[in-house]
């Protein structure tokens, strides 16, 4: 996997004995092709949420009981606290997740953590491309089951992989999805760094997007010529609202799963609450019985402080997501009409939300607007995937396809 600055993390097809490697197995596990529910539970789920939000067995709101984890997390620190509890108290070997690269903090890397210190060093959302599934081999090699934390598409890809690899299925002890509104390409982070007044990437010592309060400030840390550290902060609206979201990848614009429907547990922001002056709260969804049991044990052990909330709290917290799912139906229809690929999401209905949630203008934007984007973004043109110099650890140019 390599970073293509204007697109995101993309697979670099290596050559073996002068010929391209066989990619059929990889494509079978690629969430960009599509994924979904082979059969959604018919009992136990909250019925009014099933069509638009996937299987939800129980819904809570709360936070990590540890105040340091709660403050450092993007919302309430629940993902970190739940994963840490699984490692420290339930015998799991570690957690596969992402963090900022030490040598290039504007990029992400996949790591396997087994201590509180390692997990605390990776708190806060990373609004930059990441591909944790590239190191699922670490989960298979671990002596006991592991936790995977990732975006909805990461968890979807892991679900495809575990269906083909019995050992991986055995070793994935708990999957935690983070709600996602789309991942900006690296170009978004580079623009934020420039907005901080930094022109030399080698001077950047740290990039943070969220956390240390809710929703928290973005920060760009850099060394000055006199070796002092300069810190430039951005509010959430200044970073995500004005810069980063404009660089979301096209793949994210045709994604129907923004709340981690394939995970055991999914966590996100309770945006129905006013922000500011709060150390953070998380909305927590148990999607499987395994996830529900894990959350309940963490609450009983004192790792999480949660209260059960009504089903309506989820749509009130993520008011745009049903309209987003409807838009995905329109965009995908146009792509297929133009003989271009679009992901297929089984068991995630979208047409009803296109029809019911979108205005006539929005319906037109999702269809006619997509025809325009095909031309503007050159969606019908194959993109050459190449490493980007110091921004990546991939093979040298010439080995990729």
């Amino acid at each position: 996997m390599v970073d293509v600055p204007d697109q995101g993390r993309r697979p670099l097809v290596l050559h073996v004995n002068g010929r391209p490697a066989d990619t059929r197995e990889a494509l079978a596990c690629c969430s960009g092709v599509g994924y979904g529910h082979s059969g959604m539970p018919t009992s136990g789920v909250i019925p009014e949420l099933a069509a638009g939000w996937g299987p939800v067995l129980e819904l809570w709101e709360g936070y990590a009981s540890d105040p340091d984890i709660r403050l450092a997390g993007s919302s309430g620190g629940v993902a970190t606290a739940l994963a840490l509890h699984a490692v420290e108290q339930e015998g799991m070997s570690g957690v596969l997740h992402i963090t900022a690269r030490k040598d290039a903090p504007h990029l992400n890397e996949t790591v396997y953590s087994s201590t509180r210190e390692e997990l605390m060093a990776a708190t806060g959302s990373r609004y930059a491309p990441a591909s944790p599934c590239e190191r699922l081999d670490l989960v298979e090699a671990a002596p006991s089951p592991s936790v995977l934390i990732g975006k909805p598409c990461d968890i979807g890809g892991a679900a495809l992989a575990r269906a083909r690899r019995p050992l991986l299925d055995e070793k994935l002890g708990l999957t935690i999805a983070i709600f996602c509104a789309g991942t900006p390409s690296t170009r978004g982070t580079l623009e934020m760094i420039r907005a901080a007044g930094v022109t030399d990437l080698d001077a950047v010592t740290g990039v943070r997007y969220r956390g240390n309060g809710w929703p928290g400030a973005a920060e760009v840390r850099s060394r000055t010529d006199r070796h002092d550290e300069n810190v430039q902060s951005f509010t959430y609206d200044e970073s995500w609202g004005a810069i980063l979201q404009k660089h979301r990848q096209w793949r994210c614009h045709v994604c129907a799963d923004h709340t981690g429907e394939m995970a055991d547990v999914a966590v996100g922001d309770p945006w129905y609450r006013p922000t500011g002056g709060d150390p953070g709260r998380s909305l927590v969804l148990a999607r499987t019985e395994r996830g529900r049991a894990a959350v309940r044990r963490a609450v009983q052990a004192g790792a999480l402080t949660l209260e059960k909330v009504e089903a309506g709290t989820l749509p009130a917290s993520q008011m745009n997501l049903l309209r987003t799912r409807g838009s995905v139906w329109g965009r995908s229809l146009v792509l297929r009409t133009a003989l271009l690929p679009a992901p297929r999401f089984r068991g995630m209905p979208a047409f009803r939300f296109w029809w019911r949630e979108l205005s006539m203008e929005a319906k037109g934007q999702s269809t006619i607007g997509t025809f325009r984007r095909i031309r503007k973004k050159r969606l019908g043109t194959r993109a050459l995937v190449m490493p980007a110099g110091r921004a990546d650890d991939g093979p040298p140019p010439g080995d990729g396809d």
Side-chain angles (χ1 to χ4, degrees), residues 329-360:
W329 183 87
R331 293 173 191 142
S332 298
L333 174 67
V334 170
L335 288 173
R336 295 187 182 108
T337 301
L339 303 181
L340 295 174
R344 294 186 180 274
F345 296 95
R346 300 181 306 278
M348 301 182 196
F351 172 75
R352 69 182 70 176
F353 301 110
W354 182 85
W355 183 259
R356 189 176 70 198
E357 300 289 336
L358 271 62
S359 66
M360 289 303 297

PDB file of all heavy atoms in Angstrom, residues 329-360:
ATOM      1  N   TRP A 329     -26.783   6.359  -3.842  1.00  0.00           N
ATOM      2  CA  TRP A 329     -27.548   5.594  -4.823  1.00  0.00           C
ATOM      3  C   TRP A 329     -27.527   6.299  -6.177  1.00  0.00           C
ATOM      4  O   TRP A 329     -27.306   5.673  -7.217  1.00  0.00           O
ATOM      5  CB  TRP A 329     -28.992   5.412  -4.357  1.00  0.00           C
ATOM      6  CG  TRP A 329     -29.793   4.569  -5.310  1.00  0.00           C
ATOM      7  CD1 TRP A 329     -29.900   3.217  -5.317  1.00  0.00           C
ATOM      8  CD2 TRP A 329     -30.578   5.046  -6.419  1.00  0.00           C
ATOM      9  NE1 TRP A 329     -30.700   2.805  -6.373  1.00  0.00           N
ATOM     10  CE2 TRP A 329     -31.126   3.901  -7.056  1.00  0.00           C
ATOM     11  CE3 TRP A 329     -30.867   6.319  -6.922  1.00  0.00           C
ATOM     12  CZ2 TRP A 329     -31.945   3.998  -8.172  1.00  0.00           C
ATOM     13  CZ3 TRP A 329     -31.674   6.411  -8.042  1.00  0.00           C
ATOM     14  CH2 TRP A 329     -32.213   5.268  -8.658  1.00  0.00           C
ATOM     15  N   GLY A 330     -27.752   7.612  -6.187  1.00  0.00           N
ATOM     16  CA  GLY A 330     -27.749   8.356  -7.441  1.00  0.00           C
ATOM     17  C   GLY A 330     -26.399   8.341  -8.117  1.00  0.00           C
ATOM     18  O   GLY A 330     -26.298   8.139  -9.336  1.00  0.00           O
ATOM     19  N   ARG A 331     -25.336   8.538  -7.343  1.00  0.00           N
ATOM     20  CA  ARG A 331     -23.996   8.549  -7.931  1.00  0.00           C
ATOM     21  C   ARG A 331     -23.636   7.181  -8.496  1.00  0.00           C
ATOM     22  O   ARG A 331     -23.070   7.087  -9.592  1.00  0.00           O
ATOM     23  CB  ARG A 331     -22.982   8.964  -6.866  1.00  0.00           C
ATOM     24  CG  ARG A 331     -23.132  10.400  -6.403  1.00  0.00           C
ATOM     25  CD  ARG A 331     -22.216  10.693  -5.235  1.00  0.00           C
ATOM     26  NE  ARG A 331     -22.554  11.984  -4.631  1.00  0.00           N
ATOM     27  CZ  ARG A 331     -22.531  12.229  -3.327  1.00  0.00           C
ATOM     28  NH1 ARG A 331     -22.185  11.262  -2.475  1.00  0.00           N
ATOM     29  NH2 ARG A 331     -22.851  13.426  -2.870  1.00  0.00           N
ATOM     30  N   SER A 332     -23.956   6.136  -7.751  1.00  0.00           N
ATOM     31  CA  SER A 332     -23.616   4.785  -8.204  1.00  0.00           C
ATOM     32  C   SER A 332     -24.385   4.422  -9.475  1.00  0.00           C
ATOM     33  O   SER A 332     -23.838   3.780 -10.376  1.00  0.00           O
ATOM     34  CB  SER A 332     -23.918   3.771  -7.098  1.00  0.00           C
ATOM     35  OG  SER A 332     -23.137   4.038  -5.941  1.00  0.00           O
ATOM     36  N   LEU A 333     -25.650   4.835  -9.559  1.00  0.00           N
ATOM     37  CA  LEU A 333     -26.444   4.570 -10.756  1.00  0.00           C
ATOM     38  C   LEU A 333     -25.793   5.205 -11.982  1.00  0.00           C
ATOM     39  O   LEU A 333     -25.671   4.577 -13.036  1.00  0.00           O
ATOM     40  CB  LEU A 333     -27.860   5.111 -10.570  1.00  0.00           C
ATOM     41  CG  LEU A 333     -28.774   5.040 -11.793  1.00  0.00           C
ATOM     42  CD1 LEU A 333     -29.084   3.586 -12.143  1.00  0.00           C
ATOM     43  CD2 LEU A 333     -30.058   5.822 -11.556  1.00  0.00           C
ATOM     44  N   VAL A 334     -25.357   6.443 -11.841  1.00  0.00           N
ATOM     45  CA  VAL A 334     -24.741   7.137 -12.967  1.00  0.00           C
ATOM     46  C   VAL A 334     -23.427   6.470 -13.359  1.00  0.00           C
ATOM     47  O   VAL A 334     -23.130   6.289 -14.552  1.00  0.00           O
ATOM     48  CB  VAL A 334     -24.519   8.622 -12.614  1.00  0.00           C
ATOM     49  CG1 VAL A 334     -23.656   9.301 -13.676  1.00  0.00           C
ATOM     50  CG2 VAL A 334     -25.855   9.335 -12.485  1.00  0.00           C
ATOM     51  N   LEU A 335     -22.623   6.081 -12.377  1.00  0.00           N
ATOM     52  CA  LEU A 335     -21.348   5.435 -12.682  1.00  0.00           C
ATOM     53  C   LEU A 335     -21.573   4.151 -13.481  1.00  0.00           C
ATOM     54  O   LEU A 335     -20.898   3.904 -14.487  1.00  0.00           O
ATOM     55  CB  LEU A 335     -20.593   5.123 -11.393  1.00  0.00           C
ATOM     56  CG  LEU A 335     -20.005   6.326 -10.649  1.00  0.00           C
ATOM     57  CD1 LEU A 335     -19.443   5.894  -9.308  1.00  0.00           C
ATOM     58  CD2 LEU A 335     -18.907   6.997 -11.478  1.00  0.00           C
ATOM     59  N   ARG A 336     -22.530   3.350 -13.054  1.00  0.00           N
ATOM     60  CA  ARG A 336     -22.773   2.092 -13.760  1.00  0.00           C
ATOM     61  C   ARG A 336     -23.371   2.340 -15.142  1.00  0.00           C
ATOM     62  O   ARG A 336     -23.072   1.608 -16.088  1.00  0.00           O
ATOM     63  CB  ARG A 336     -23.675   1.192 -12.919  1.00  0.00           C
ATOM     64  CG  ARG A 336     -23.002   0.763 -11.627  1.00  0.00           C
ATOM     65  CD  ARG A 336     -23.802  -0.274 -10.853  1.00  0.00           C
ATOM     66  NE  ARG A 336     -23.098  -0.591  -9.616  1.00  0.00           N
ATOM     67  CZ  ARG A 336     -23.482  -0.213  -8.405  1.00  0.00           C
ATOM     68  NH1 ARG A 336     -24.605   0.472  -8.258  1.00  0.00           N
ATOM     69  NH2 ARG A 336     -22.777  -0.526  -7.341  1.00  0.00           N
ATOM     70  N   THR A 337     -24.189   3.380 -15.257  1.00  0.00           N
ATOM     71  CA  THR A 337     -24.723   3.748 -16.567  1.00  0.00           C
ATOM     72  C   THR A 337     -23.600   4.128 -17.520  1.00  0.00           C
ATOM     73  O   THR A 337     -23.656   3.836 -18.721  1.00  0.00           O
ATOM     74  CB  THR A 337     -25.714   4.922 -16.425  1.00  0.00           C
ATOM     75  OG1 THR A 337     -26.782   4.533 -15.553  1.00  0.00           O
ATOM     76  CG2 THR A 337     -26.274   5.335 -17.772  1.00  0.00           C
ATOM     77  N   ALA A 338     -22.563   4.764 -16.967  1.00  0.00           N
ATOM     78  CA  ALA A 338     -21.408   5.161 -17.767  1.00  0.00           C
ATOM     79  C   ALA A 338     -20.374   4.048 -17.886  1.00  0.00           C
ATOM     80  O   ALA A 338     -19.256   4.284 -18.359  1.00  0.00           O
ATOM     81  CB  ALA A 338     -20.758   6.400 -17.144  1.00  0.00           C
ATOM     82  N   LEU A 339     -20.743   2.829 -17.446  1.00  0.00           N
ATOM     83  CA  LEU A 339     -19.868   1.652 -17.500  1.00  0.00           C
ATOM     84  C   LEU A 339     -18.608   1.842 -16.673  1.00  0.00           C
ATOM     85  O   LEU A 339     -17.522   1.350 -17.026  1.00  0.00           O
ATOM     86  CB  LEU A 339     -19.514   1.306 -18.951  1.00  0.00           C
ATOM     87  CG  LEU A 339     -20.708   1.054 -19.889  1.00  0.00           C
ATOM     88  CD1 LEU A 339     -20.214   0.701 -21.289  1.00  0.00           C
ATOM     89  CD2 LEU A 339     -21.591  -0.073 -19.343  1.00  0.00           C
ATOM     90  N   LEU A 340     -18.755   2.553 -15.567  1.00  0.00           N
ATOM     91  CA  LEU A 340     -17.652   2.750 -14.630  1.00  0.00           C
ATOM     92  C   LEU A 340     -17.964   2.013 -13.330  1.00  0.00           C
ATOM     93  O   LEU A 340     -19.130   1.817 -12.972  1.00  0.00           O
ATOM     94  CB  LEU A 340     -17.443   4.243 -14.351  1.00  0.00           C
ATOM     95  CG  LEU A 340     -17.003   5.079 -15.550  1.00  0.00           C
ATOM     96  CD1 LEU A 340     -16.963   6.561 -15.177  1.00  0.00           C
ATOM     97  CD2 LEU A 340     -15.628   4.620 -16.037  1.00  0.00           C
ATOM     98  N   PRO A 341     -16.941   1.606 -12.590  1.00  0.00           N
ATOM     99  CA  PRO A 341     -17.188   0.814 -11.384  1.00  0.00           C
ATOM    100  C   PRO A 341     -17.721   1.656 -10.228  1.00  0.00           C
ATOM    101  O   PRO A 341     -17.426   2.844 -10.102  1.00  0.00           O
ATOM    102  CB  PRO A 341     -15.798   0.253 -11.050  1.00  0.00           C
ATOM    103  CG  PRO A 341     -14.840   1.235 -11.636  1.00  0.00           C
ATOM    104  CD  PRO A 341     -15.499   1.745 -12.879  1.00  0.00           C
ATOM    105  N   ALA A 342     -18.512   1.017  -9.401  1.00  0.00           N
ATOM    106  CA  ALA A 342     -18.997   1.596  -8.149  1.00  0.00           C
ATOM    107  C   ALA A 342     -19.119   0.466  -7.142  1.00  0.00           C
ATOM    108  O   ALA A 342     -19.493  -0.649  -7.508  1.00  0.00           O
ATOM    109  CB  ALA A 342     -20.355   2.279  -8.343  1.00  0.00           C
ATOM    110  N   PRO A 343     -18.806   0.710  -5.893  1.00  0.00           N
ATOM    111  CA  PRO A 343     -18.923  -0.354  -4.885  1.00  0.00           C
ATOM    112  C   PRO A 343     -20.360  -0.839  -4.764  1.00  0.00           C
ATOM    113  O   PRO A 343     -21.307  -0.082  -4.976  1.00  0.00           O
ATOM    114  CB  PRO A 343     -18.460   0.331  -3.589  1.00  0.00           C
ATOM    115  CG  PRO A 343     -17.722   1.550  -4.023  1.00  0.00           C
ATOM    116  CD  PRO A 343     -18.331   1.974  -5.311  1.00  0.00           C
ATOM    117  N   ARG A 344     -20.511  -2.094  -4.394  1.00  0.00           N
ATOM    118  CA  ARG A 344     -21.835  -2.671  -4.148  1.00  0.00           C
ATOM    119  C   ARG A 344     -21.938  -3.020  -2.665  1.00  0.00           C
ATOM    120  O   ARG A 344     -21.105  -3.753  -2.143  1.00  0.00           O
ATOM    121  CB  ARG A 344     -22.061  -3.901  -5.015  1.00  0.00           C
ATOM    122  CG  ARG A 344     -22.119  -3.563  -6.502  1.00  0.00           C
ATOM    123  CD  ARG A 344     -22.499  -4.771  -7.340  1.00  0.00           C
ATOM    124  NE  ARG A 344     -22.555  -4.433  -8.770  1.00  0.00           N
ATOM    125  CZ  ARG A 344     -23.622  -3.925  -9.377  1.00  0.00           C
ATOM    126  NH1 ARG A 344     -24.725  -3.674  -8.672  1.00  0.00           N
ATOM    127  NH2 ARG A 344     -23.599  -3.643 -10.669  1.00  0.00           N
ATOM    128  N   PHE A 345     -22.965  -2.497  -2.015  1.00  0.00           N
ATOM    129  CA  PHE A 345     -23.156  -2.688  -0.580  1.00  0.00           C
ATOM    130  C   PHE A 345     -24.410  -3.532  -0.353  1.00  0.00           C
ATOM    131  O   PHE A 345     -25.529  -3.053  -0.523  1.00  0.00           O
ATOM    132  CB  PHE A 345     -23.286  -1.334   0.124  1.00  0.00           C
ATOM    133  CG  PHE A 345     -22.042  -0.499   0.022  1.00  0.00           C
ATOM    134  CD1 PHE A 345     -21.914   0.451  -0.982  1.00  0.00           C
ATOM    135  CD2 PHE A 345     -21.007  -0.676   0.914  1.00  0.00           C
ATOM    136  CE1 PHE A 345     -20.762   1.217  -1.085  1.00  0.00           C
ATOM    137  CE2 PHE A 345     -19.847   0.082   0.814  1.00  0.00           C
ATOM    138  CZ  PHE A 345     -19.723   1.030  -0.183  1.00  0.00           C
ATOM    139  N   ARG A 346     -24.198  -4.790   0.005  1.00  0.00           N
ATOM    140  CA  ARG A 346     -25.308  -5.705   0.217  1.00  0.00           C
ATOM    141  C   ARG A 346     -25.989  -5.421   1.556  1.00  0.00           C
ATOM    142  O   ARG A 346     -25.328  -5.225   2.579  1.00  0.00           O
ATOM    143  CB  ARG A 346     -24.821  -7.155   0.193  1.00  0.00           C
ATOM    144  CG  ARG A 346     -24.157  -7.562  -1.121  1.00  0.00           C
ATOM    145  CD  ARG A 346     -23.733  -9.026  -1.078  1.00  0.00           C
ATOM    146  NE  ARG A 346     -22.896  -9.331   0.072  1.00  0.00           N
ATOM    147  CZ  ARG A 346     -21.594  -9.105   0.130  1.00  0.00           C
ATOM    148  NH1 ARG A 346     -20.961  -8.555  -0.916  1.00  0.00           N
ATOM    149  NH2 ARG A 346     -20.897  -9.429   1.202  1.00  0.00           N
ATOM    150  N   GLY A 347     -27.307  -5.409   1.541  1.00  0.00           N
ATOM    151  CA  GLY A 347     -28.043  -5.221   2.785  1.00  0.00           C
ATOM    152  C   GLY A 347     -27.995  -3.811   3.330  1.00  0.00           C
ATOM    153  O   GLY A 347     -28.289  -3.592   4.509  1.00  0.00           O
ATOM    154  N   MET A 348     -27.619  -2.835   2.493  1.00  0.00           N
ATOM    155  CA  MET A 348     -27.582  -1.433   2.909  1.00  0.00           C
ATOM    156  C   MET A 348     -28.435  -0.628   1.925  1.00  0.00           C
ATOM    157  O   MET A 348     -27.912   0.015   1.017  1.00  0.00           O
ATOM    158  CB  MET A 348     -26.147  -0.896   2.946  1.00  0.00           C
ATOM    159  CG  MET A 348     -25.232  -1.656   3.880  1.00  0.00           C
ATOM    160  SD  MET A 348     -23.560  -0.946   3.937  1.00  0.00           S
ATOM    161  CE  MET A 348     -22.649  -2.305   4.676  1.00  0.00           C
ATOM    162  N   PRO A 349     -29.736  -0.668   2.054  1.00  0.00           N
ATOM    163  CA  PRO A 349     -30.617  -0.024   1.077  1.00  0.00           C
ATOM    164  C   PRO A 349     -30.357   1.474   0.965  1.00  0.00           C
ATOM    165  O   PRO A 349     -30.095   2.148   1.960  1.00  0.00           O
ATOM    166  CB  PRO A 349     -32.020  -0.312   1.628  1.00  0.00           C
ATOM    167  CG  PRO A 349     -31.823  -0.597   3.075  1.00  0.00           C
ATOM    168  CD  PRO A 349     -30.486  -1.252   3.188  1.00  0.00           C
ATOM    169  N   ALA A 350     -30.425   1.975  -0.262  1.00  0.00           N
ATOM    170  CA  ALA A 350     -30.130   3.392  -0.497  1.00  0.00           C
ATOM    171  C   ALA A 350     -31.221   4.099  -1.290  1.00  0.00           C
ATOM    172  O   ALA A 350     -31.442   5.296  -1.091  1.00  0.00           O
ATOM    173  CB  ALA A 350     -28.782   3.534  -1.217  1.00  0.00           C
ATOM    174  N   PHE A 351     -31.891   3.386  -2.212  1.00  0.00           N
ATOM    175  CA  PHE A 351     -32.864   4.063  -3.073  1.00  0.00           C
ATOM    176  C   PHE A 351     -33.949   4.751  -2.265  1.00  0.00           C
ATOM    177  O   PHE A 351     -34.347   5.876  -2.589  1.00  0.00           O
ATOM    178  CB  PHE A 351     -33.499   3.072  -4.052  1.00  0.00           C
ATOM    179  CG  PHE A 351     -34.640   3.679  -4.833  1.00  0.00           C
ATOM    180  CD1 PHE A 351     -34.395   4.569  -5.868  1.00  0.00           C
ATOM    181  CD2 PHE A 351     -35.956   3.381  -4.509  1.00  0.00           C
ATOM    182  CE1 PHE A 351     -35.446   5.151  -6.579  1.00  0.00           C
ATOM    183  CE2 PHE A 351     -37.010   3.947  -5.214  1.00  0.00           C
ATOM    184  CZ  PHE A 351     -36.749   4.834  -6.251  1.00  0.00           C
ATOM    185  N   ARG A 352     -34.455   4.095  -1.228  1.00  0.00           N
ATOM    186  CA  ARG A 352     -35.548   4.693  -0.447  1.00  0.00           C
ATOM    187  C   ARG A 352     -35.136   6.029   0.160  1.00  0.00           C
ATOM    188  O   ARG A 352     -35.951   6.926   0.314  1.00  0.00           O
ATOM    189  CB  ARG A 352     -35.995   3.726   0.648  1.00  0.00           C
ATOM    190  CG  ARG A 352     -34.993   3.503   1.773  1.00  0.00           C
ATOM    191  CD  ARG A 352     -35.478   2.495   2.797  1.00  0.00           C
ATOM    192  NE  ARG A 352     -35.512   1.138   2.247  1.00  0.00           N
ATOM    193  CZ  ARG A 352     -35.837   0.079   2.974  1.00  0.00           C
ATOM    194  NH1 ARG A 352     -36.196   0.221   4.246  1.00  0.00           N
ATOM    195  NH2 ARG A 352     -35.819  -1.120   2.436  1.00  0.00           N
ATOM    196  N   PHE A 353     -33.843   6.171   0.482  1.00  0.00           N
ATOM    197  CA  PHE A 353     -33.382   7.426   1.066  1.00  0.00           C
ATOM    198  C   PHE A 353     -33.124   8.470  -0.017  1.00  0.00           C
ATOM    199  O   PHE A 353     -33.258   9.669   0.229  1.00  0.00           O
ATOM    200  CB  PHE A 353     -32.142   7.166   1.924  1.00  0.00           C
ATOM    201  CG  PHE A 353     -32.409   6.181   3.034  1.00  0.00           C
ATOM    202  CD1 PHE A 353     -31.857   4.915   3.007  1.00  0.00           C
ATOM    203  CD2 PHE A 353     -33.255   6.515   4.075  1.00  0.00           C
ATOM    204  CE1 PHE A 353     -32.120   4.000   4.004  1.00  0.00           C
ATOM    205  CE2 PHE A 353     -33.532   5.607   5.085  1.00  0.00           C
ATOM    206  CZ  PHE A 353     -32.962   4.346   5.051  1.00  0.00           C
ATOM    207  N   TRP A 354     -32.735   8.022  -1.210  1.00  0.00           N
ATOM    208  CA  TRP A 354     -32.641   8.950  -2.344  1.00  0.00           C
ATOM    209  C   TRP A 354     -34.016   9.543  -2.624  1.00  0.00           C
ATOM    210  O   TRP A 354     -34.152  10.738  -2.841  1.00  0.00           O
ATOM    211  CB  TRP A 354     -32.114   8.199  -3.566  1.00  0.00           C
ATOM    212  CG  TRP A 354     -31.922   9.045  -4.791  1.00  0.00           C
ATOM    213  CD1 TRP A 354     -30.839   9.803  -5.105  1.00  0.00           C
ATOM    214  CD2 TRP A 354     -32.846   9.221  -5.876  1.00  0.00           C
ATOM    215  NE1 TRP A 354     -31.022  10.439  -6.315  1.00  0.00           N
ATOM    216  CE2 TRP A 354     -32.253  10.095  -6.810  1.00  0.00           C
ATOM    217  CE3 TRP A 354     -34.124   8.703  -6.143  1.00  0.00           C
ATOM    218  CZ2 TRP A 354     -32.889  10.467  -7.991  1.00  0.00           C
ATOM    219  CZ3 TRP A 354     -34.758   9.088  -7.315  1.00  0.00           C
ATOM    220  CH2 TRP A 354     -34.133   9.951  -8.227  1.00  0.00           C
ATOM    221  N   TRP A 355     -35.034   8.707  -2.595  1.00  0.00           N
ATOM    222  CA  TRP A 355     -36.386   9.139  -2.906  1.00  0.00           C
ATOM    223  C   TRP A 355     -36.989   9.982  -1.790  1.00  0.00           C
ATOM    224  O   TRP A 355     -37.631  10.999  -2.046  1.00  0.00           O
ATOM    225  CB  TRP A 355     -37.263   7.912  -3.170  1.00  0.00           C
ATOM    226  CG  TRP A 355     -38.671   8.238  -3.563  1.00  0.00           C
ATOM    227  CD1 TRP A 355     -39.779   8.201  -2.785  1.00  0.00           C
ATOM    228  CD2 TRP A 355     -39.107   8.688  -4.852  1.00  0.00           C
ATOM    229  NE1 TRP A 355     -40.894   8.575  -3.486  1.00  0.00           N
ATOM    230  CE2 TRP A 355     -40.505   8.884  -4.779  1.00  0.00           C
ATOM    231  CE3 TRP A 355     -38.450   8.921  -6.060  1.00  0.00           C
ATOM    232  CZ2 TRP A 355     -41.253   9.311  -5.858  1.00  0.00           C
ATOM    233  CZ3 TRP A 355     -39.206   9.354  -7.140  1.00  0.00           C
ATOM    234  CH2 TRP A 355     -40.581   9.536  -7.031  1.00  0.00           C
ATOM    235  N   ARG A 356     -36.741   9.597  -0.532  1.00  0.00           N
ATOM    236  CA  ARG A 356     -37.443  10.198   0.584  1.00  0.00           C
ATOM    237  C   ARG A 356     -36.705  11.367   1.222  1.00  0.00           C
ATOM    238  O   ARG A 356     -37.320  12.341   1.657  1.00  0.00           O
ATOM    239  CB  ARG A 356     -37.693   9.117   1.647  1.00  0.00           C
ATOM    240  CG  ARG A 356     -38.602   9.540   2.779  1.00  0.00           C
ATOM    241  CD  ARG A 356     -38.850   8.364   3.699  1.00  0.00           C
ATOM    242  NE  ARG A 356     -37.650   8.000   4.451  1.00  0.00           N
ATOM    243  CZ  ARG A 356     -37.491   6.832   5.049  1.00  0.00           C
ATOM    244  NH1 ARG A 356     -38.416   5.891   4.948  1.00  0.00           N
ATOM    245  NH2 ARG A 356     -36.393   6.578   5.731  1.00  0.00           N
ATOM    246  N   GLU A 357     -35.387  11.298   1.275  1.00  0.00           N
ATOM    247  CA  GLU A 357     -34.615  12.268   2.049  1.00  0.00           C
ATOM    248  C   GLU A 357     -34.087  13.429   1.208  1.00  0.00           C
ATOM    249  O   GLU A 357     -33.768  14.484   1.750  1.00  0.00           O
ATOM    250  CB  GLU A 357     -33.433  11.574   2.739  1.00  0.00           C
ATOM    251  CG  GLU A 357     -33.814  10.468   3.706  1.00  0.00           C
ATOM    252  CD  GLU A 357     -34.465  11.011   4.966  1.00  0.00           C
ATOM    253  OE1 GLU A 357     -34.211  12.189   5.301  1.00  0.00           O
ATOM    254  OE2 GLU A 357     -35.234  10.272   5.609  1.00  0.00           O
ATOM    255  N   LEU A 358     -33.969  13.254  -0.104  1.00  0.00           N
ATOM    256  CA  LEU A 358     -33.349  14.272  -0.944  1.00  0.00           C
ATOM    257  C   LEU A 358     -34.399  15.145  -1.620  1.00  0.00           C
ATOM    258  O   LEU A 358     -35.427  14.651  -2.088  1.00  0.00           O
ATOM    259  CB  LEU A 358     -32.469  13.620  -2.020  1.00  0.00           C
ATOM    260  CG  LEU A 358     -31.007  13.363  -1.650  1.00  0.00           C
ATOM    261  CD1 LEU A 358     -30.904  12.392  -0.490  1.00  0.00           C
ATOM    262  CD2 LEU A 358     -30.230  12.838  -2.852  1.00  0.00           C
ATOM    263  N   SER A 359     -34.121  16.433  -1.661  1.00  0.00           N
ATOM    264  CA  SER A 359     -34.966  17.346  -2.424  1.00  0.00           C
ATOM    265  C   SER A 359     -34.757  17.085  -3.911  1.00  0.00           C
ATOM    266  O   SER A 359     -33.830  16.365  -4.313  1.00  0.00           O
ATOM    267  CB  SER A 359     -34.576  18.789  -2.097  1.00  0.00           C
ATOM    268  OG  SER A 359     -33.256  19.060  -2.556  1.00  0.00           O
ATOM    269  N   MET A 360     -35.589  17.673  -4.738  1.00  0.00           N
ATOM    270  CA  MET A 360     -35.425  17.518  -6.184  1.00  0.00           C
ATOM    271  C   MET A 360     -34.064  18.037  -6.627  1.00  0.00           C
ATOM    272  O   MET A 360     -33.402  17.446  -7.492  1.00  0.00           O
ATOM    273  CB  MET A 360     -36.547  18.241  -6.931  1.00  0.00           C
ATOM    274  CG  MET A 360     -37.916  17.572  -6.799  1.00  0.00           C
ATOM    275  SD  MET A 360     -37.896  15.841  -7.379  1.00  0.00           S
ATOM    276  CE  MET A 360     -37.488  16.069  -9.109  1.00  0.00           C
TER     277      MET A 360
END
